[in-house]
Amino acid sequence: MTYHGKINFSSENYAGVHQQIMDALAKANFGSAPSYGNDTYTKETVALFKQHFGEDIDVYFAFNGTGANNFGIGSVTEKFSSIFCTEVAHLLVDESTAPETFIGCRMYPVDHVDGKIVLADLKSKIKRFGDVHHPQPKVISLTQPTEYGTVYTLDELKAIKQVCTDNGMLLHVDGARFFNAAVFLNATLKQISADAGVDILTLGGTKSGLMFGEAVIFFNTDKPGSHKYNLKRSMQLASKNRFIAVQFDTLLRGGLWKEVAEHSNKLAILLKNSLANIPAITFTQPVETNAVFVTLPAKVYDKTQEFSSFYEWNEEKNEYRLMISFNTTEEEIKVFVDKLRLLIAQTT
């Protein structure tokens, strides 16, 4: 549960594999099975996805989040299309030039508040339909929860979907931590995807305790089964696909996804409440899922890295991000807060 002796608040990607997931991988490793998703594990997992997200879906599996986003969006766009997302979206900021290279579309940043798309700015930037000199608006991509850990409400999702409908566009959701959003909203997975009008969902698995693997769901597709060709073209078709599928099966079948999300959301609140007693610390974002954003006094961060690990988010504001993982413990939070309190007292 530690990173070289440090308490991990950097990322869920630092965490190991959930034991139930590891057990499922070991079980799937017995004997042989057909390749490229033609195995029983994959077929049963797809059926399970339909129980949670609705019958009218296509489900595909990918190796990682960047590949999943590129495959999902690239399957519904043309090279002359444009994509709209917030100026802090992972798709725009942290996927290098992968979207431009593999999707080949123009990306337009949109203003945000607490990581959420500002509707007025979005509407003002969707224009010039039919103009051969301008990229044609095709996809609105939002992150749920956002890069700040905040969550779009059902009404906010439907408002953005309405913009899509009014302009003949599609709604993509980057759901690396989608399960945390569902728990915060006390909603089913279907309510915040199919029922909210989502067209493509990139569903994260790694940040919920998987060893590797993401899923891409297409809702109400007019070409069922056709996206498999783009999956291969995107270099995301796994030969031993059962090892991705069985992990998602384990997440969905017994409610492990909810257990993991409830744990990490709950401990984020615990971390916030524990830090709130330190006057030198301020919170820059609401704590709605498993992310806590704080400002720290100057010169404190470097010393915290001796016993913990977390990222600097905004150097100019001395803002930092602390993420809770499935294996974060209450004891780790207590130790971290006690050490941080002492460090701040000695430094300021």
Side-chain angles (χ1 to χ4, degrees):
M1 288 180 283
T2 56
Y3 168 61
H4 293 311
K6 295 181 179 181
I7 300 171
N8 167 41
F9 293 119
S10 286
S11 171
E12 304 96 320
N13 293 335
Y14 278 45
V17 180
H18 195 287
Q19 189 57 54
Q20 290 186 41
I21 300 296
M22 191 67 81
D23 292 343
L25 284 167
K27 182 178 179 181
N29 196 40
F30 179 78
S32 302
S35 56
Y36 300 110
N38 294 309
D39 58 282
T40 301
Y41 292 105
T42 297
K43 292 175 182 178
E44 290 181 352
T45 302
V46 169
L48 190 57
F49 266 84
K50 291 185 177 184
Q51 291 179 27
H52 283 277
F53 291 93
E55 287 293 327
D56 193 12
I57 63 173
D58 272 355
V59 184
Y60 300 88
F61 299 97
F63 291 108
N64 55 51
T66 299
N69 279 335
N70 287 337
F71 156 62
I73 297 176
S75 294
V76 299
T77 53
E78 303 285 352
K79 298 298 183 182
F80 53 80
S81 303
S82 56
I83 303 163
F84 298 80
C85 60
T86 70
E87 57 194 2
V88 296
H90 193 276
L91 189 70
L92 181 68
V93 177
D94 287 309
E95 293 190 341
S96 186
T97 59
E100 292 90 342
T101 302
F102 291 98
I103 302 175
C105 295
R106 177 71 55 80
M107 296 177 65
Y108 287 101
V110 177
D111 291 345
H112 73 95
V113 174
D114 296 334
K116 298 182 185 181
I117 288 173
V118 174
L119 272 179
D121 189 55
L122 172 65
K123 292 176 181 178
S124 72
K125 290 179 176 175
I126 299 174
K127 54 189 176 183
R128 296 176 69 174
F129 284 95
D131 186 343
V132 72
H133 303 288
H134 194 76
Q136 294 301 287
K138 183 64 176 181
V139 172
I140 298 172
S141 178
L142 59 85
T143 313
Q144 176 77 316
T146 71
E147 283 71 20
Y148 287 105
T150 53
V151 177
Y152 287 92
T153 66
L154 293 175
D155 286 342
E156 289 170 334
L157 289 173
K158 291 176 181 178
I160 295 174
K161 176 60 178 182
Q162 188 61 53
V163 176
C164 290
T165 301
D166 293 343
N167 292 282
M169 299 173 69
L170 299 175
L171 178 59
H172 167 258
V173 171
D174 185 343
R177 300 178 174 95
F178 195 73
F179 299 122
N180 295 85
V183 165
F184 175 77
L185 293 172
N186 192 28
T188 67
L189 299 175
K190 184 174 181 288
Q191 284 174 328
I192 61 171
S193 56
D195 293 351
V198 175
D199 295 292
I200 311 106
L201 169 63
T202 303
L203 181 66
T206 308
K207 290 180 171 61
S208 292
L210 271 62
M211 179 180 288
F212 64 96
E214 316 291 304
V216 179
I217 307 173
F218 296 90
F219 298 86
N220 305 310
T221 178
D222 59 350
K223 299 178 180 179
S226 66
H227 299 303
K228 62 186 177 183
Y229 304 108
N230 277 322
L231 184 68
K232 176 67 173 181
R233 182 173 175 271
S234 301
M235 297 173 284
Q236 293 296 311
L237 177 61
S239 56
K240 297 182 180 180
N241 194 79
R242 70 184 185 274
F243 292 108
I244 301 178
V246 73
Q247 296 180 79
F248 275 102
D249 184 282
T250 305
L251 267 187
L252 295 174
R253 188 171 299 279
L256 181 60
W257 69 268
K258 192 171 186 180
E259 176 186 322
V260 167
E262 285 176 341
H263 171 82
S264 53
N265 283 9
K266 176 183 175 182
L267 262 62
I269 295 296
L270 175 63
L271 177 60
K272 176 191 175 183
N273 292 341
S274 300
L275 292 174
N277 296 322
I278 305 176
I281 293 178
T282 59
F283 299 94
T284 63
Q285 300 293 331
V287 178
E288 296 181 348
T289 52
N290 63 323
V292 180
F293 286 81
V294 299
T295 60
L296 297 174
K299 300 180 181 180
V300 167
Y301 174 70
D302 289 342
K303 294 182 179 180
T304 63
Q305 300 308 285
E306 296 175 5
F307 58 86
S308 62
S309 171
F310 56 94
Y311 288 138
E312 184 175 58
W313 186 264
N314 188 317
E315 182 179 2
E316 294 179 357
K317 298 180 180 178
N318 291 323
E319 183 183 30
Y320 303 89
R321 186 193 75 169
L322 298 101
M323 297 301 306
I324 302 295
S325 305
F326 79 88
N327 61 355
T328 305
T329 66
E330 293 185 12
E331 178 62 23
E332 286 179 313
I333 290 176
K334 182 180 185 304
V335 170
F336 171 76
V337 172
D338 288 345
K339 288 187 175 184
L340 180 59
R341 179 183 290 107
L342 180 60
L343 179 60
I344 291 177
Q346 292 172 343
T347 305
T348 57

